Amino acid sequence: KDSHAFTTRLYLPGQRLVQLVQVRFMTSSEDDWVTQPARPLPPKQPRHANEYKMGRSPVEESKLIGQGACELVWDLGDRHELWLWPGDGIMQSQTYQIQLRVGSLECWSPWTASCKVEFEPVTAKSLYSVVHKDSGGAGGLLLSAVSPSTVVARFHPWWLAPSAHEIEYIMVAKPRLTHDTHGFEGMDEGYEEQEKGGAAVVKHLITAQEPMHHTDEEVAHSLFEKDVFNDMPEDERTAFPYVQSMVQREYDACLAAAQKLPELEVSLTGLLASTTYDVTVTARYPGLTTKVEETMHQVVETPCGTAPPVPPSPMDAELAEHAGCSPWARAVLLEVEDRPEYELQFTSAASGWFDGAGDPKKKSQGKEKIDHGPGPRWWASDKEDPHATAMSQWWPVSCRSLPPAPGQKAGMKRIVAELEAFGGRTSASDMPDLVRFRLATTDRSRCHTGRWVGGASEVLPVCIAPLCAPVLPRRVFREESWCLQVSFFAHTVSKPVVGTALQLRSGGFPSEALKPRESLLDQFLLGRSSEKVEMETQNKDIRDEDAEATAIPAGYGHRAVRLVQARARCVGKVVLQGDAEVPGGLDALMPSTFSGAWMEMPAMPIEQCKVSKAPAGLDGPTACKIGDLHTLQISSSSYLQEGGCYEIQLRLGDSQRWSAWSDSSERFPFSVPQPEPAEEGMEVRTLSATVCHFSWPAFVVPAGLQHVTYRLLAEPKDLGSSAQGAFVSQDIHVLPASKPGTTHEATLTNLRPSTEYVYSVSARYQNIGWKIWGQRLSLQQKDVLVVEEVTEWLAPPMPAVFPCNGPRPFAVAEEGLPFFHPSEQAFLLAFADTSDAADGLTYRLQYRRAGLSVDSKSGTWRTPLEVVSVDVEDEKKVELLEAAVAPWKMLPRLWRVRLPPMQEDLDEVAAIHAQKVQFRLAVEVQSECPVTRWYSSLTPPLTSAMAPPLMTKAQFEVTDTRLTIFVQFSLHRQITEEVSLEDVLEADSQFNIEAQDLSPATRTVLPEGFGHMFANRFQVRSRHSPRPQGMPPPDSSRRPPGVPWSPWCEGPDAGWQATEIVNHSGDRAMGGALSLNAFRTTLQMPDGAQLAYGSYYQVSVRISDGTCWSDWSEPSNPIKVYVAPPKPDKPDTEVLSVVQEHGGTNVKLRWSP
């Protein structure tokens, strides 16, 4: 309300440093403040549920100027909450004055103005009383007795106080001994006597999170988002009623949203039967001991008698196994109520899955029903009614009680329901596979009709027949992965026609299923794979099949199967062949020991194992004999170790019981078969002295793989001991998988001439299988088709070039200096010295200019001005020297080579032509050798020399964090115009000068921009001085001599990615269009050195193509590393002013920049 009412106070001085908060209070009847200890500043709270950040107040555009709402909405700042509890000394029904201050350990703010607040219990009301203006009572509470001991209460959430998030509902059910219908007067009388008489009082406590009632801040923000304040009347007399109506509208909207919330549903259990209860619902806030005064109450009467028994629940299959439930017996482990007056009964739960009437869809389409032939069946036949009276009757079942076990519920017991054994019967009416259980009273005359029988259990299988048909393992291979596919047959849909499981197991596969069965078996089991395995002598499992086991019907209980589980054990290992590239050899890849223990794998839903369409010959009547085809995929190697040989078993279940394990499958290898080579057909013939051509028959690979990785290998019988000796040469080829008999062809290079090799081809797969190379297909040197004309040594390999100057020259002179000046056209080359060759062939070095064209007719081959051998003593450089040159019969040596200097009268085209040269070795007497050995290969075009950069500049730049020197230099980027062959030959003829006419010490001044177009690296050096010579001293009265420059300090070299192009300009020179590009980079000091403040600096730059380095450029103008202190812009017109506005000890200072 002061003169600056519209200035935001969002960023108050010092508040960003607040760490502590302190509060004090006193009552209206006291004169002393009660000061609480300082506390850490609580974390920032959202302004409302979505924490909408509003930012600065646009007071210039807001219509709220002059209204208090502007400050309310925009100047709230960050919101923090500090709670005072009764433990802090405050008491209810008292009015307090509260003050607060914030600060840090060193400084505190003043106390805020007093805030008066009355500490009253927080209230909450039922939504029914808020909407209907009723103080509570029976309205809004609905009770329903769902059983003699349970009542379900439903009511709407309560209307909470603003900023309240949680509330606890207390529900109390008190029994009545008299049927009083005159309300709830005196409802608390006589409850102690009722409890003493056995009438228990039931209490229930629940904590719920409800939508809180909007606070004033949230209401104001919601109105602001709806632009309500923009329509506010300007008259103060009408503005307040307008705001009141808007706030009431928001309140009504929150109330309407609360009415749409779902009702709370609470079950009160443990009640007495046939008893009238007074049910009350009260509430309280967590952390407060006082309850809300409002109460909802209602009367309900529970039904007479105790509840009937709950349905029997089946127990886990593992518990059933421990309880002695044999997989061959008709027995189920159940958990039932421990009520001696009841007995366990069962009834058949025939669902018609195996209805003898056949598929109703096929019947409606007029298709003939498949005749499954005679034979015993355990389901209803065509003439039997599946819903006959005998099938729906309840029969008592004998039980075997078990002692209490951990985890057993109170009031419950566990029993084993043992149904009658098969005894050779297979009829559904006598031996149902699916049943329901219930508890029924033994004497109905002593029991209420509502408790004669308990609830019926879910449909349960009493026994599950094991898999009768053999399990068929098969490995399935794909390009990226592979897995084990286990096929098995279960009667989940089809109707079995064979009597018992033992009959089907001993009978084996029907003759009509033998051929399609082969598609489900592994190639190893069919004898079509050459894999070698090492088996352990281990007998098959011997089953103790008693009378029950032999009498169980085939497919019994399969229609209720939901799970399938596999187990396997290692009985051998695969014998690998090939080259091991791991420590320990091939044996390190195999299982170390044979584990005879079975390893069970996780169960899988049988729905994932169903086959949409079975192969022809395994469906229809065949499926009724052996079962429906299912496939189980095992792809994880965490259960089966690759390289082992396994046998596998399966069993079926429904999570409450399992069938017996099936017979073990045939033993199979769990690995990817290595590519199998053909016995013969490999051919090798020489194409040149270093290249051979291979042709071999395609290796045999499993179906499903598309590519095979082949390795062509040539192993010399006598390995060399140096880099130039004979070594193993190999090449990898990925070729498509082909049918047997297909021939593949490929070449193998990098062979050594006149060397005896053993050639071989091996294979492996790119993505799966063993990473070792498999069995080889080999060929000796005597069987190789040799062409004598091409197997002799070829001409020497091309010379290799090394840096002769720059930051890292390959070799230097004895004085530690480079052999050549950077302006000279000179090189360090590596090639063999053939002057003493055994065959008498001597090769000489030649060069030609190749700046304009690399055509063989573009230049004349000439002899260098100087070729001198250089001794290299460093062993590492010797190894690098030998590795840089292709293998040949003689080791290379290092040579320094100098070309004649360029004449000063060269024209522009010839100068461009001189920028690149090529080298070769040429035999002196061509008649002494074949034409293929006259010349070596040509080197790539090499930069002969490089001129230094132009216009080097230095610029000092100051930032907030560092001092930087930017270096700028320019290069000529030449764009060569198209020239004809005649122009190239004319330019090349200008270099036809006699070498003896030139002095080796002649130094050439390179043309400007020479070689710049091939540069791709640069290096910067710098030097400094406090006051170099020629610079004026600070005191003009004294003129001492300048301080000499420091030695040059070279920085690291870098590529063009460390620069940026700052401008372009055009020029004409050297016969082409030249583009002058300016590059800019940052001066990098070596070893992290810093700039010397107050000193002058000079920089210089040189460039390179990676091998040839230019000379250093001319130094730049000196620049001083100095930053002038700040000073007033207008010191004569502006002065420092001090403003006091709010009093106190703070002032505001104003000054000009």
Side-chain angles (χ1 to χ4, degrees):
K1 296 182 181 180
D2 53 11
S3 58
H4 299 279
F6 310 119
T7 302
T8 178
R9 300 197 301 274
L10 184 61
Y11 306 104
L12 295 180
Q15 288 195 0
R16 62 189 179 91
L17 304 177
V18 168
Q19 299 176 352
L20 303 175
V21 60
Q22 191 174 26
V23 65
R24 66 180 183 179
F25 57 85
M26 70 176 178
T27 62
S28 57
S29 60
E30 298 176 355
D31 296 333
D32 296 332
W33 291 95
V34 178
T35 304
Q36 296 290 321
R39 312 180 187 184
L41 184 68
K44 183 176 65 175
Q45 299 291 331
R47 293 186 176 183
H48 54 86
N50 295 326
E51 194 173 0
Y52 184 83
K53 296 183 179 179
M54 294 175 285
R56 293 180 177 272
S57 172
V59 295
E60 297 81 1
E61 304 176 1
S62 176
K63 297 181 180 180
L64 305 179
I65 298 178
Q67 302 178 15
C70 177
E71 182 176 354
L72 170 65
V73 175
W74 294 98
D75 286 342
L76 293 178
D78 296 332
R79 172 170 165 257
H80 301 267
E81 289 184 358
L82 181 65
W83 291 81
L84 294 179
W85 301 89
D88 297 323
I90 59 175
M91 295 180 293
Q92 298 183 13
S93 302
Q94 292 286 344
T95 301
Y96 289 91
Q97 293 185 13
I98 300 178
Q99 292 183 352
L100 182 143
R101 67 176 181 178
V102 296
S104 63
L105 295 175
E106 295 82 8
C107 180
W108 285 94
S109 71
W111 291 98
T112 61
S114 297
C115 170
K116 184 177 293 185
V117 61
E118 183 176 357
F119 180 42
E120 296 180 352
V122 185
T123 61
K125 296 182 179 181
S126 65
L127 193 61
Y128 181 86
S129 63
V130 174
V131 176
H132 299 282
K133 309 300 182 182
D134 190 1
S135 60
L141 178 60
L142 299 178
L143 302 176
S144 59
V146 297
S147 72
S149 61
T150 304
V151 171
V152 176
R154 296 181 178 87
F155 56 92
H156 276 283
W158 283 29
W159 186 248
L160 308 187
S163 74
H165 296 268
E166 290 186 349
I167 190 171
E168 290 181 350
Y169 296 102
I170 305 172
M171 304 186 63
V172 180
K174 298 181 179 180
R176 286 185 179 181
L177 298 182
T178 60
H179 296 281
D180 183 11
T181 59
H182 299 287
F184 287 83
E185 292 81 359
M187 58 180 298
D188 293 331
E189 298 178 358
Y191 284 129
E192 295 181 0
E193 289 75 8
Q194 295 177 15
E195 293 184 3
K196 292 179 181 179
V201 176
V202 178
K203 296 182 180 179
H204 193 77
L205 176 66
I206 61 173
T207 302
Q209 292 187 354
E210 310 295 346
M212 65 179 178
H213 183 188
H214 286 184
T215 61
D216 295 340
E217 179 188 352
E218 293 173 333
V219 172
H221 177 70
S222 177
L223 295 177
F224 177 80
E225 285 188 332
K226 299 177 181 178
D227 296 332
V228 172
F229 294 114
N230 293 335
D231 301 330
M232 181 186 299
E234 298 181 359
D235 188 4
E236 294 182 0
R237 293 175 296 177
T238 59
F240 184 71
Y242 174 79
V243 174
Q244 271 189 322
S245 62
M246 293 297 103
V247 172
Q248 183 64 33
R249 183 180 300 177
E250 286 292 317
Y251 178 83
D252 295 339
C254 294
L255 187 59
Q259 294 180 22
K260 297 180 181 179
L261 293 176
E263 293 182 330
L264 294 178
E265 183 175 312
V266 183
S267 297
L268 292 172
T269 59
L271 304 180
L272 300 178
S274 186
T275 305
T276 301
Y277 279 89
D278 295 331
V279 180
T280 60
V281 178
T282 58
R284 68 183 180 190
Y285 291 100
L288 299 181
T289 58
T290 59
K291 297 183 181 178
V292 179
E293 295 181 357
E294 184 172 344
T295 302
M296 292 192 303
H297 42 74
Q298 187 61 271
V299 179
V300 66
E301 184 176 357
T302 57
C304 62
T306 58
V310 297
S313 58
M315 303 305 295
D316 186 74
E318 184 177 356
L319 297 177
E321 185 178 353
H322 291 165
C325 294
S326 172
W328 304 97
R330 299 176 69 229
V332 181
L333 177 62
L334 300 172
E335 188 174 64
V336 299
E337 286 192 61
D338 189 5
R339 302 175 72 167
E341 67 273 17
Y342 287 88
E343 67 176 359
L344 186 67
Q345 296 179 349
F346 81 97
T347 184
S348 174
S351 58
W353 292 356
F354 293 115
D355 188 6
D359 191 348
K361 295 182 180 179
K362 295 183 178 180
K363 188 174 182 180
S364 62
Q365 297 173 0
K367 296 185 178 180
E368 296 182 359
K369 183 180 60 177
I370 300 175
D371 184 13
H372 303 293
R377 294 188 299 271
W378 50 271
W379 62 87
S381 64
D382 295 349
K383 298 181 180 180
E384 292 174 346
D385 184 8
H387 304 287
T389 304
M391 300 289 288
S392 59
Q393 291 181 353
W394 289 88
W395 305 92
V397 58
S398 60
C399 302
R400 174 167 52 90
S401 299
L402 301 177
Q408 184 172 320
K409 299 179 183 178
M412 308 291 287
K413 66 176 181 178
R414 295 178 181 177
I415 60 174
V416 177
E418 298 176 338
L419 280 70
E420 189 178 1
F422 293 104
R425 293 172 294 177
T426 56
S427 173
S429 59
D430 296 335
M431 310 298 294
D433 63 327
L434 303 182
V435 299
R436 294 178 184 270
F437 293 96
R438 74 179 185 188
L439 289 178
T441 180
T442 56
D443 189 358
R444 293 191 175 186
S445 61
R446 298 183 179 182
C447 182
H448 190 274
T449 56
R451 303 194 304 273
W452 280 357
V453 295
S457 68
E458 58 181 292
V459 178
L460 301 174
V462 295
C463 185
I464 300 177
L467 295 176
C468 302
V471 177
L472 307 177
R474 173 174 170 261
R475 292 168 295 175
V476 179
F477 304 98
R478 302 180 183 87
E479 189 68 17
E480 301 293 335
S481 62
W482 70 284
C483 66
L484 176 65
Q485 177 179 289
V486 182
S487 300
F488 62 96
F489 301 88
H491 292 276
T492 55
V493 178
S494 61
K495 298 183 296 186
V497 296
V498 179
T500 63
L502 181 61
Q503 294 174 354
L504 180 57
R505 178 177 293 179
S506 59
F509 270 93
S511 57
E512 62 272 16
L514 293 178
K515 187 172 183 179
R517 166 181 171 271
E518 296 182 358
S519 62
L520 305 176
L521 266 179
D522 193 82
Q523 297 296 313
F524 174 81
L525 302 178
L526 295 174
R528 301 173 184 174
S529 175
S530 61
E531 295 176 85
K532 297 181 180 180
V533 295
E534 180 181 330
M535 292 292 185
E536 180 187 14
T537 304
Q538 194 172 36
N539 298 327
K540 290 279 186 175
D541 290 341
I542 301 176
R543 297 184 177 277
D544 185 13
E545 297 178 346
D546 52 14
E548 292 183 350
T550 58
I552 185 171
Y556 191 81
H558 284 191
R559 56 181 173 177
V561 168
R562 295 196 300 269
L563 300 174
V564 59
Q565 186 181 22
R567 70 175 183 179
R569 65 177 176 182
C570 183
V571 295
K573 64 180 181 180
V574 178
V575 178
L576 292 180
Q577 299 180 1
D579 302 328
E581 300 178 357
V582 295
L586 298 177
D587 294 337
L589 302 175
M590 295 292 101
S592 57
T593 58
F594 297 109
S595 177
W598 288 99
M599 180 176 56
E600 296 183 2
M601 305 177 196
M604 291 184 59
I606 199 169
E607 293 293 331
Q608 301 180 8
C609 303
K610 289 187 176 180
V611 177
S612 57
K613 186 177 181 181
L618 296 178
D619 54 0
T622 306
C624 296
K625 296 179 180 179
I626 60 176
D628 306 299
L629 176 62
H630 298 73
T631 58
L632 174 67
Q633 289 191 355
I634 302 175
S635 56
S636 176
S637 59
S638 58
Y639 306 109
L640 304 180
Q641 184 177 356
E642 188 170 1
C645 189
Y646 292 88
E647 58 183 7
I648 196 168
Q649 292 180 350
L650 299 181
R651 67 175 177 179
L652 307 176
D654 68 335
S655 75
Q656 279 81 38
R657 66 174 297 125
W658 290 99
S659 70
W661 290 102
S662 66
D663 284 341
S664 298
S665 67
E666 297 187 53
R667 299 177 177 182
F668 60 92
F670 185 75
S671 65
V672 180
Q674 295 177 283
E676 181 182 351
E679 295 182 358
E680 56 183 11
M682 177 179 173
E683 295 183 359
V684 179
R685 60 187 180 92
T686 57
L687 298 181
S688 66
T690 59
V691 180
C692 283
H693 178 270
F694 283 65
S695 63
W696 71 95
F699 284 30
V700 179
V701 298
L705 297 176
Q706 305 297 327
H707 295 85
V708 182
T709 302
Y710 290 96
R711 179 183 67 168
L712 308 185
L713 188 66
E715 297 177 291
K717 289 193 172 182
D718 298 321
L719 286 174
S721 58
S722 64
Q724 299 295 328
F727 57 91
V728 177
S729 179
Q730 68 175 9
D731 200 359
I732 308 299
H733 298 272
V734 179
L735 302 176
S738 305
K739 297 180 179 180
T742 306
T743 301
H744 291 306
E745 296 183 357
T747 57
L748 179 62
T749 59
N750 294 329
L751 299 178
R752 194 173 187 272
S754 301
T755 304
E756 186 175 357
Y757 286 93
V758 176
Y759 302 93
S760 63
V761 178
S762 55
R764 68 182 181 189
Y765 306 113
Q766 192 170 7
N767 301 312
I768 64 174
W770 304 101
K771 295 308 176 183
I772 63 173
W773 296 102
Q775 185 178 357
R776 298 185 184 184
L777 188 61
S778 302
L779 194 67
Q780 299 293 329
Q781 181 69 35
K782 60 183 181 62
D783 300 323
V784 178
L785 179 60
V786 179
V787 181
E788 297 294 343
E789 291 78 6
V790 299
T791 56
E792 182 55 85
W793 284 101
L794 298 178
M798 68 177 182
V801 62
F802 294 92
C804 60
N805 50 21
R808 292 175 296 276
F810 187 78
V812 294
E814 295 181 358
E815 301 82 9
L817 301 176
F819 288 107
F820 313 106
H821 191 272
S823 62
E824 293 184 272
Q825 293 185 330
F827 303 86
L828 283 180
L829 299 181
F831 55 88
D833 184 6
T834 59
S835 57
D836 298 331
D839 54 5
L841 296 180
T842 303
Y843 289 85
R844 300 302 181 198
L845 184 67
Q846 294 181 346
Y847 78 97
R848 71 172 181 181
R849 306 286 178 174
L852 292 175
S853 174
V854 293
D855 195 318
S856 59
K857 300 180 181 180
S858 62
T860 303
W861 288 98
R862 301 177 177 88
T863 302
L865 179 65
E866 175 186 342
V867 179
V868 179
S869 175
V870 178
D871 294 332
V872 179
E873 298 180 356
D874 190 347
E875 295 182 358
K876 293 184 178 180
K877 289 188 176 182
V878 172
E879 295 177 0
L880 180 62
L881 186 70
E882 296 178 356
V885 182
W888 201 54
K889 59 184 178 181
M890 301 183 67
L891 296 177
R893 296 195 62 183
L894 187 64
W895 307 80
R896 60 178 189 176
V897 179
R898 191 194 310 269
L899 305 185
M902 295 187 300
Q903 304 91 315
E904 297 182 359
D905 56 349
L906 290 177
D907 60 14
E908 298 172 348
V909 177
I912 297 175
H913 190 51
Q915 295 184 73
K916 287 284 186 178
V917 296
Q918 284 182 295
F919 291 94
R920 75 177 182 185
L921 295 175
V923 69
E924 286 186 347
V925 182
Q926 296 181 351
S927 60
E928 297 294 333
C929 62
V931 67
T932 55
R933 300 174 61 189
W934 284 359
Y935 308 105
S936 70
S937 301
L938 305 182
T939 64
L942 306 175
T943 304
S944 59
M946 195 166 291
L950 309 174
M951 296 184 295
T952 304
K953 301 178 182 179
Q955 178 182 357
F956 178 64
E957 186 163 323
V958 180
T959 63
D960 292 335
T961 57
R962 61 175 182 172
L963 305 178
T964 307
I965 294 181
F966 286 103
V967 181
Q968 180 175 323
F969 58 94
S970 300
L971 300 180
H972 276 303
R973 291 301 193 182
Q974 182 182 12
I975 305 175
T976 306
E977 298 179 353
E978 184 178 357
V979 294
S980 62
L981 180 60
E982 290 75 11
D983 297 335
V984 175
L985 296 177
E986 182 180 355
D988 189 72
S989 63
Q990 300 182 36
F991 299 97
N992 293 332
I993 58 177
E994 297 295 336
Q996 60 269 20
D997 298 337
L998 298 174
S999 173
T1002 302
R1003 177 178 175 180
T1004 302
V1005 178
L1006 299 176
E1008 186 178 271
F1010 190 85
H1012 284 191
M1013 62 183 299
F1014 309 110
N1016 54 27
R1017 301 189 66 80
F1018 71 96
Q1019 188 181 18
V1020 182
R1021 66 177 182 176
S1022 63
R1023 63 181 181 180
H1024 66 278
S1025 172
R1027 185 173 59 83
Q1029 297 180 357
M1031 301 300 295
D1035 187 2
S1036 59
S1037 63
R1038 301 174 59 189
R1039 295 183 177 275
V1043 180
W1045 290 101
S1046 67
W1048 286 103
C1049 180
E1050 297 182 3
D1053 58 318
W1056 287 145
Q1057 64 271 16
T1059 64
E1060 59 176 347
I1061 300 179
V1062 295
N1063 66 347
H1064 303 271
S1065 62
D1067 195 2
R1068 292 284 301 179
M1070 295 175 62
L1074 294 180
S1075 177
L1076 192 62
N1077 294 348
F1079 295 84
R1080 186 183 184 189
T1081 186
T1082 304
L1083 175 62
Q1084 299 291 335
M1085 304 295 292
D1087 301 329
Q1090 302 294 327
L1091 296 176
Y1093 187 77
S1095 297
Y1096 290 85
Y1097 274 83
Q1098 276 187 327
V1099 296
S1100 179
V1101 185
R1102 64 179 174 182
I1103 57 177
S1104 170
D1105 65 346
T1107 303
C1108 178
W1109 283 86
S1110 71
D1111 196 6
W1112 291 101
S1113 65
E1114 293 294 330
S1116 65
N1117 293 329
I1119 60 170
K1120 187 176 183 180
V1121 180
Y1122 176 75
V1123 182
K1127 61 181 180 179
D1129 188 18
K1130 299 178 180 179
D1132 299 333
T1133 58
E1134 297 291 340
V1135 296
L1136 179 67
S1137 61
V1138 180
V1139 181
Q1140 287 184 330
E1141 293 183 345
H1142 302 287
T1145 59
N1146 295 333
V1147 298
K1148 182 182 292 184
L1149 303 181
R1150 293 192 178 96
W1151 67 90
S1152 298

